[in-house]
Amino acid sequence: MTQPNLKRAARLDTKAVALASLPFMGMISFWQVYDGIVPKMLTGTFGLSNSLTGAIMAIDNVFGLFLLPLFGIFSDRCASKLGRRTPFILGGSAVAMLSVPLIAIANNMGSLPLLIGAIILTLLAICAYRTMTVAIVADITPRPLRTKADSIEKIVGYAGTGLMLVAISVMVPKADKPDYLPLFILQAAFILVSAVVYGIFVREPALVEKMREKSLSMGIDEDQIDKDDSPEAGGKERVADTDVRRSIIMLLAATFFYYMSYNAMTTNISRYADLFYGMEGGSYAIINIVTIAGALLSYAPLANLSLKIGRKKVALGTAVIMVLCPALLWLAPGFSPVLYGVFLLMGVALGGVDLCVYTMILECCSSQSVGRYSGYYYTVSMAAQVATPILSGIVMDVAPSMLFAYITAMGMIMAASIAAAKHGDAILIDEVARREAAK
């Protein structure tokens, strides 16, 4: 019998992955606008305290605790002709496109109830398809290539995010009460265009079938994995193993503290930069641009490295960097252009951890329950993002200079959790090829 051409099978369909990543781009870029601008609205326009602002900023994460796993399960069970993820992506994007500008309109009107209502409507729309923006990429990618596919999704997503950060730095004037409406209209257009292009070019059922065929040529039978770990079976074949369950718990814990650390920075950096770096208006966005640039530059090299040395080593190495960088920012006496280098390196670390931990979790589930496990991943991330805006908001009220000390502490627990995980590493393609050649 002729052995499969694993090198050829191992080629990733980068065009399909990039197109499937567009809704992720529209969704993820929104959070830079939301996390950076809405706190300014709440404190600047409405005069709320940092603690109360943090509580309001946690609303999306409270929703996520319940809605993300629920929508993930709904999508796993969806039998639409468009596929399991596409109906949620298109529907959620349509509502978000309409509701996002309402946030800025409410701010201009000085109506806090309308602002809260617009925020809630937008967050519900985002929750309806947030999990699906990552599940779709996993659905159409063979298991060994998921980290590499995830790197492409992150590049597409954060390239769009970078554009929105540039827009923030250019479109937000240095004024007491700036008009944010043009920026929010641009964000709505970003969501709309990404969804329209996705709807035109991505045929989810055909791409999923192509993934199964390619997986077979690599010696991976998804049907057999599904049989062992289907939602109906409760995943007992794999999750009953105590060590595997412990690894899943540790990876979810790592996710929790990753977002405890990262979200504390994104929620507070606009105010921190104003206080300690003298960055007024939208100029703080330069910090986020530099951080995202570090992630974009590192995604592809780190994904390829994970195929050679394993996902865990990459995740653990970048986690250590993610601890050291905020420690340096905490100890720095004031702003210096040298700190941009630290933020750049922190972006590399953020990207490496994010890239590997999620795909390690997916390695423990079947293709029939990707939505479910993606929902669990986002559930713990939302739990962290419920807590950290409030806790970091208290830090900003009581001792704002300690923000990066808080971020450092969260990162240390994250790194320890990754170190404790023993399962979910990548299937090394070169090693598979070597074994096949030896037969």
Side-chain angles (χ1 to χ4, degrees):
M1 180 178 177
T2 304
Q3 295 294 337
N5 187 335
L6 291 180
K7 287 296 184 181
R8 183 175 181 180
R11 293 175 184 171
L12 184 65
D13 189 344
T14 54
K15 179 181 178 181
V17 170
L19 289 170
S21 301
L22 290 175
F24 176 77
M25 179 185 73
M27 180 274 297
I28 201 71
S29 62
F30 166 75
W31 296 112
Q32 292 295 332
V33 176
Y34 180 77
D35 287 339
I37 301 301
V38 172
K40 284 178 168 285
M41 292 179 177
L42 295 171
T43 57
T45 303
F46 300 100
L48 302 185
S49 69
N50 284 315
S51 299
L52 186 53
T53 295
I56 293 174
M57 292 301 293
I59 290 175
D60 66 307
N61 307 307
V62 174
F63 285 169
L65 282 172
F66 307 101
L67 295 180
L68 292 181
L70 185 63
F71 279 116
I73 293 170
F74 285 163
S75 71
D76 280 340
R77 297 174 179 176
C78 180
S80 169
K81 291 182 180 180
L82 294 175
R84 293 185 293 174
R85 321 299 180 191
T86 299
F88 294 90
I89 289 172
L90 298 181
S93 296
V95 176
M97 180 270 298
L98 296 173
S99 63
V100 164
L102 290 178
I103 296 175
I105 291 172
N107 181 71
N108 288 349
M109 292 173 61
S111 173
L112 185 58
L114 181 59
L115 178 69
I116 299 299
I119 287 173
I120 289 174
L121 179 59
T122 301
L123 296 179
L124 287 173
I126 296 290
C127 280
Y129 79 101
R130 184 172 184 172
T131 299
M132 276 53 81
T133 64
V134 293
I136 181 64
V137 172
D139 286 341
I140 66 174
T141 306
R143 289 170 180 268
L145 300 177
R146 280 178 176 171
T147 304
K148 199 169 185 177
D150 198 33
S151 73
I152 293 174
E153 180 174 38
K154 295 297 192 302
I155 290 171
V156 171
Y158 288 108
T161 298
L163 292 176
M164 287 308 304
L165 286 170
V166 172
I168 291 172
S169 65
V170 172
M171 298 175 69
V172 177
K174 297 178 180 179
D176 291 336
K177 292 184 178 181
D179 182 5
Y180 298 114
L181 184 57
L183 176 67
F184 277 72
I185 290 175
L186 178 62
Q187 179 61 67
F190 224 58
I191 293 172
L192 174 63
V193 171
S194 64
V196 168
V197 176
Y198 170 91
I200 293 173
F201 291 103
V202 174
R203 296 291 178 264
E204 181 186 337
L207 289 173
V208 170
E209 182 59 32
K210 183 178 179 181
M211 177 277 293
R212 288 178 169 272
E213 293 174 357
K214 181 173 283 191
S215 294
L216 281 174
S217 69
M218 300 173 76
I220 302 168
D221 187 350
E222 285 290 341
D223 290 331
Q224 187 60 42
I225 295 173
D226 293 345
K227 190 179 299 182
D228 290 340
D229 191 30
S230 66
E232 292 76 16
K236 294 179 181 178
E237 292 282 339
R238 300 185 66 176
V239 183
D241 186 291
T242 303
D243 288 337
V244 175
R245 284 193 300 178
R246 186 180 297 114
S247 291
I248 292 172
I249 292 170
M250 289 298 102
L251 291 169
L252 290 175
T255 301
F256 178 84
F257 287 104
Y258 171 90
Y259 281 96
M260 287 289 286
S261 174
Y262 174 56
N263 193 252
M265 188 176 85
T266 59
T267 303
N268 296 288
I269 192 62
S270 59
R271 287 166 289 164
Y272 186 92
D274 193 358
L275 284 172
F276 295 100
Y277 297 163
M279 295 180 173
E280 300 177 350
S283 58
Y284 77 90
I286 297 173
I287 291 174
N288 288 343
I289 291 170
V290 170
T291 304
I292 287 175
L296 288 173
L297 291 171
S298 67
Y299 279 134
L302 289 178
N304 289 328
L305 182 62
S306 73
L307 289 172
K308 296 181 181 297
I309 68 173
R311 292 170 182 150
K312 181 179 176 179
K313 289 181 180 178
V314 172
L316 190 56
T318 51
V320 171
I321 297 173
M322 195 171 157
V323 171
L324 294 176
C325 286
L328 290 173
L329 293 168
W330 170 39
L331 296 173
F335 180 75
S336 165
V338 174
L339 295 185
Y340 284 129
V342 179
F343 282 110
L344 185 73
L345 190 59
M346 190 169 181
V348 173
L350 289 166
V353 175
D354 188 31
L355 199 63
C356 294
V357 170
Y358 173 63
T359 49
M360 288 176 74
I361 293 172
L362 289 189
E363 199 65 35
C364 299
C365 76
S366 78
S367 65
Q368 296 299 316
S369 54
V370 166
R372 179 188 296 258
Y373 280 82
S374 296
Y376 294 158
Y377 169 85
Y378 272 121
T379 296
V380 296
S381 74
M382 291 298 102
Q385 292 174 87
V386 168
T388 204
I390 299 172
L391 294 176
S392 61
I394 294 172
V395 171
M396 288 294 290
D397 276 336
V398 176
S401 63
M402 296 294 289
L403 175 65
F404 282 103
Y406 170 90
I407 293 171
T408 301
M410 298 300 105
M412 291 174 67
I413 304 174
M414 173 202 68
S417 300
I418 293 173
K422 306 299 182 184
H423 297 81
D425 221 332
I427 299 172
L428 304 183
I429 293 174
D430 289 344
E431 178 64 16
V432 174
R434 185 190 67 77
R435 292 176 182 176
E436 288 293 332
K439 288 183 179 179

